[in-house]
Amino acid sequence: MKKYLKYSIEDFATDSYFIKWVLSPDIESTMFWEKVKKEHPGQYENMEEAITLIKSIQAVEPDIPQEKIEKAKARLFTGTSLKKKRKLHSRLGWAAIFIVLIGASGLIYQMMNTQRNDSAIFDMPVDNEAQIIFADGTKKSISRENSQIIQKTPGTIIVNSDTLTIGQGYAKTKNTGLVTVVMPYGKQTYLQLPDKSIVYINSGSKVSYPVEFVGASREVFLSGEAYFKITTNKQIPFIVHTADMDIRVTGTEFNVSAYSDDSFTQTVLVSGVVAVDRKNLFKRNIELKPGESLSLNKASGEVFKQQVNTDQYTSWIYGYIICNKEPVPGVLKKVERFYNCEITCKESISGITFSGKLDLKEDVEKVVDALLFASPMDIKITKK
């Protein structure tokens, strides 16, 4: 870590690990560079301007103001960079740095266009057990279908009425690892994070988070669906990472659906403001206002923003589903996830829509009966 204390802008801009983090962040690199920022706050400006330079020449056209790029390049040859007389600067100059960045970003751009869903961060649960996985590899099973998890202190987690001590895993968790809450299909949970923010985790989902938020941001990782109620802190933004996009807020309520087997990733804002970025591929962060949703088509990369009735996307946390002319295949997929079952139809249902309210407190047979009453379908239910 000490070597970064003397890093100039060009040192950061040509550091391969730094470039990879800027263009294709993951858990380890994000935690690492946030730690660098915390230990060397005087390097924050150099790091930010190096980020600007890297993004200014990436393979996808950025939406960075030209004056900001010129300012970063100017600082490369003046001020701290000139005083330090770095060898790389004297031998290569801006032109060579530019070439290095182009080569590195081209390589990483290819990496980013490969599927990231094989990463352990965003893989879906493979078994049917709700559990907490600590950074040291130990696991705690959760028996109840609807549970409550509270990160009380960095070393203590309360699960329902049980108090768990992280113990030896804490040092590793605090510095480089995360606690992961896994909810398989058929189960949901309530999670209170270290900053008192609340996360409702839906069936077939998992959330990874640090036992203590340190550094300049509060970051969690989501695979599946979750509803967030974020404690306001304008100085330390909250970031939700999914396989396809990042959502940044300072204090707000919003729903994120990022199931790996869905064709889309979607954010719906209930209150406050969120800024959404598709890693390094959006030209700009897209801001949402309350009542707006942003959907990303994973196959085409197309982004669609629209006004919505937020109740349709958040009612699951209250135990029911609200639909308004929603395609029946999508409704059935929600029911399958909630009840951990498989629903098959004899006839094609691609053109059928459903409007109404499904009470998830009922047995799955009664929920499906409501669909059958509204639509001419022959449905078979197989419980897993």
Side-chain angles (χ1 to χ4, degrees), residues 138-305:
T138 59
K139 300 178 180 180
K140 167 66 178 178
S141 297
I142 303 173
S143 57
R144 284 162 51 177
E145 290 187 2
N146 293 285
S147 54
Q148 183 179 80
I149 303 169
I150 299 175
Q151 185 69 55
K152 193 70 174 178
T153 66
T156 304
I157 296 178
I158 298 176
V159 181
N160 300 323
S161 58
D162 297 331
T163 300
L164 307 181
T165 302
I166 297 178
Q168 295 180 350
Y170 169 57
K172 183 178 180 181
T173 302
K174 182 177 179 182
N175 293 325
T176 60
L178 300 169
V179 171
T180 300
V181 178
V182 179
M183 285 293 115
Y185 293 124
K187 295 187 178 182
Q188 298 175 330
T189 194
Y190 163 106
L191 169 65
Q192 180 176 300
L193 296 172
D195 65 343
K196 303 300 175 67
S197 293
I198 303 301
V199 185
Y200 295 90
I201 306 175
N202 205 354
S203 303
S205 307
K206 71 177 183 178
V207 172
S208 299
Y209 70 94
V211 294
E212 184 179 13
F213 288 122
V214 295
S217 62
R218 299 168 287 167
E219 303 189 37
V220 302
F221 298 80
L222 167 68
S223 174
E225 184 172 23
Y227 183 83
F228 295 85
K229 292 185 176 181
I230 304 305
T231 301
T232 301
N233 189 330
K234 294 183 178 180
Q235 284 70 45
I236 306 179
F238 191 99
I239 304 173
V240 179
H241 296 283
T242 74
D244 304 289
M245 63 173 60
D246 301 325
I247 302 98
R248 177 184 293 263
V249 305
T250 55
T252 185
E253 295 188 24
F254 59 101
N255 192 79
V256 181
S257 182
Y259 286 103
S260 61
D261 58 344
D262 278 345
S263 61
F264 63 89
T265 297
Q266 183 182 59
T267 301
V268 176
L269 180 61
V270 176
S271 66
V273 177
V274 303
V276 184
D277 175 43
R278 188 191 174 190
K279 305 305 180 184
N280 72 320
L281 299 182
F282 282 167
K283 288 186 176 181
R284 62 181 65 83
N285 287 342
I286 300 176
E287 287 195 354
L288 298 183
K289 296 178 181 179
E292 290 183 336
S293 75
L294 181 73
S295 299
L296 167 68
N297 186 306
K298 296 179 182 179
S300 67
E302 293 180 319
V303 179
F304 184 62
K305 184 167 74 169

Side-chain angles (χ1 to χ4, degrees), residues 77 92-101:
F77 299 105
L92 301 179
W94 167 252
I97 294 172
F98 189 81
I99 292 172
V100 171
L101 286 175

